[in-house]
Amino acid sequence: MKLFSLTILFASSLVFAAENKIKMNFNNEDITKIIETYSKASDQTFVVDPGVRAKASIFISEAVDIPEAFNLLSSALAVQGFGISKQGNTYVVPP
């Protein structure tokens, strides 16, 4: 069963890599969940301060490429008064 799950996960990763797109459709979702979704899809590391608490909605019908997804994430954070900074290979979201 584990081998089957890993095979499906690997196959899903290949499909994602080929498409290089991510669904960024969220309705009143915790901002940390949106960050986590982007992080997994883009293979980027994020450090999020525990004070970063908010809900956000992003409505877009089609999957977008990784740079556009980053812009959407950045905008959702900005609307809530948060920002993203890059330190080395890590993105940091301070309160």
Side-chain angles (χ1 to χ4, degrees), residues 16-94:
F16 175 77
E19 294 177 4
N20 205 23
K21 300 228 178 207
I22 177 176
K23 287 205 171 235
M24 291 291 287
N25 193 26
F26 300 95
N27 186 10
N28 201 34
E29 187 69 62
D30 286 331
I31 199 76
T32 54
K33 183 67 174 175
I34 298 172
I35 294 168
E36 180 183 4
T37 299
Y38 175 81
S39 176
K40 287 179 181 178
S42 65
D43 200 30
Q44 295 290 327
T45 302
F46 278 78
V47 175
V48 181
D49 187 279
V52 176
R53 295 285 176 250
K55 299 234 181 217
S57 296
I58 300 172
F59 300 112
I60 186 162
S61 60
E62 296 181 9
V64 296
D65 60 17
I66 296 299
E68 179 62 21
F70 183 83
N71 290 337
L72 291 168
L73 172 61
S74 181
S75 295
L77 285 164
V79 166
Q80 298 297 330
F82 302 113
I84 300 173
S85 66
K86 189 168 185 181
Q87 296 180 7
N89 291 329
T90 302
Y91 288 98
V92 177
V93 183

